[in-house]
């Protein structure tokens, strides 16, 4: 399928690895000019080289912390206008809310709510003026189905979800859609590190932990990052202009509910 977005320009955050990289890869394969962003330059540079090898869309990178004013300014000084925005930030560590002080909450909200909102604020008016825009926020399945111990992540991401629900209704008539992707268990380096930590705690091998976890999953497997990446690319396409303000769950059927 021709997604109709070749030549468009996309900003993809947290794109040196994992789900952010998968979104950038799917977009660049469809001819999108992708600008990838992450904090650490060397992994970002290597990711850009791998993406450029696909040869379809152009690839640039900016090493920046999108949670800071200075980091965002660096991005937009180099690339002022975007047709597509994919926000993405790793969630804060799990824990007991009794141990979280105000500063801990502020860091979580900055990364998982306020930074995406600031990026949207910097791009959405230009998108509307040009009559086309796609904004995708990678959040978490925990927004739909909360997980014990992930209150920092779920609280901050739920704030972003509520904000998007309001804003998306005011942009779609100008050709700009805003949607959230809610990934469940995906086969990423972060999942591998979680399995390793659990194995160490429980005195098991990583394979034992992974096998037990997947046995409980309806799909009996983790999602592949490319599956989320291609979903993201479709939502960015010209064919998805009537999908707006939605929270799209990608969890292989783990959510045990109807809606």
């Amino acid at each position: 399928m021709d997604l109709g977005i070749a030549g468009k320009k996309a900003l993809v955050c947290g794109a040196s690895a994992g789900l952010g990289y998968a979104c950038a890869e799917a977009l660049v394969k469809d001819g999108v000019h992708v600008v990838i962003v992450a904090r650490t330059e060397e992994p970002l540079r290597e990711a850009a080289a791998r993406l450029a090898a696909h040869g379809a869309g152009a690839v640039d990178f900016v090493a920046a912390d999108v949670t800071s004013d200075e980091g965002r300014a660096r991005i937009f000084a180099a690339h002022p206008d975007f047709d597509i925005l994919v926000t993405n930030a790793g969630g804060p560590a799990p824990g007991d809310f009794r141990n979280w002080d105000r500063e801990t909450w502020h860091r979580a909200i900055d990364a998982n709510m306020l930074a995406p909102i600031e990026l949207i604020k910097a791009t959405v008016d230009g998108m509307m003026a040009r009559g086309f825009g796609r904004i995708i926020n990678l959040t978490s399945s925990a927004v739909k189905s909360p997980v014990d111990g992930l209150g920092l992540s779920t609280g901050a991401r739920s704030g972003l979800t509520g904000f998007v629900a309001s804003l998306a209704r005011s942009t779609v008539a100008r050709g700009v859609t805003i949607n959230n992707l809610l990934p469940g268990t995906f086969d990423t380096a972060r999942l591998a590190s979680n399995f390793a930590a659990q194995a160490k705690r429980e005195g098991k091998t990583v394979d034992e932990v992974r096998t037990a976890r997947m046995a409980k999953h309806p799909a009996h497997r983790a999602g592949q990052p490319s599956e989320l990446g291609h979903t993201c690319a479709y939502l960015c396409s010209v064919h998805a202009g009537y999908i707006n303000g939605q929270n799209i769950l990608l969890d292989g059927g783990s959510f045990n509910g109807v809606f």
Side-chain angles (χ1 to χ4, degrees):
M1 178 187 291
D2 180 2
L3 298 185
I5 51 177
K8 299 291 188 185
K9 194 169 186 178
L11 173 61
V12 184
C13 301
S16 59
L19 299 181
Y21 179 88
C23 292
E25 183 177 43
L27 289 169
V28 80
K29 285 181 176 179
D30 279 290
V32 175
H33 178 179
V34 173
V35 178
I36 60 172
V37 175
R39 296 184 185 188
T40 309
E41 182 166 340
E42 191 53 37
L44 193 62
R45 185 187 302 277
E46 293 170 358
R50 292 195 304 273
L51 291 170
H54 293 299
V59 181
D60 290 306
F61 69 91
V62 180
D65 178 0
V66 299
T67 68
S68 71
D69 292 338
E70 188 254 342
R72 291 189 296 271
R74 188 181 309 144
I75 296 166
F76 293 113
H79 302 276
D81 297 311
F82 292 96
D83 307 295
I84 294 166
L85 168 65
V86 180
T87 76
N88 174 40
D96 186 329
F97 81 96
R98 297 169 184 83
N99 300 322
W100 300 332
D101 57 18
R102 288 179 63 86
E103 181 57 31
T104 302
W105 275 106
H106 287 168
R107 286 196 301 270
I109 292 168
D110 278 343
N112 298 122
M113 178 182 172
L114 296 182
I117 290 173
E118 290 294 333
L119 291 168
I120 293 169
K121 183 167 70 174
T123 56
V124 70
D125 289 337
M127 292 177 181
M128 288 194 292
R130 293 186 296 274
F132 178 89
R134 299 288 184 263
I135 297 173
I136 309 293
N137 303 296
L138 303 190
T139 64
S140 170
S141 61
V143 173
K144 177 83 170 179
S145 183
V147 177
D148 185 33
L150 295 184
L152 276 176
S153 175
T154 305
R157 295 188 196 278
S158 295
L160 176 63
T161 302
F163 169 79
V164 165
S166 174
L167 179 63
R169 275 71 187 179
S170 69
T171 64
V172 65
R174 302 280 296 277
V176 180
T177 64
I178 311 176
N179 293 289
N180 303 316
L181 287 179
L182 283 57
T185 303
F186 274 80
D187 195 4
T188 62
R190 179 165 185 174
L191 180 64
S193 69
N194 290 344
F195 284 156
Q198 182 180 346
K200 185 176 181 179
R201 288 195 308 271
E202 298 178 359
K204 299 177 180 178
T205 68
V206 173
D207 284 345
E208 287 173 334
V209 169
R210 176 183 285 273
T211 298
R213 174 75 172 271
M214 293 302 103
K216 296 177 182 178
H217 195 288
H220 291 175
R221 69 175 180 89
Q224 292 303 304
S226 61
E227 294 175 300
L228 183 140
H230 288 299
T231 302
C232 177
Y234 177 75
L235 289 175
C236 293
S237 76
V238 297
H239 310 296
Y242 214 56
I243 303 174
N244 182 52
Q246 299 304 303
N247 296 292
I248 299 170
L249 190 63
L250 291 89
D251 71 346
S254 291
F255 175 63
N256 191 23
V258 178
F259 301 108

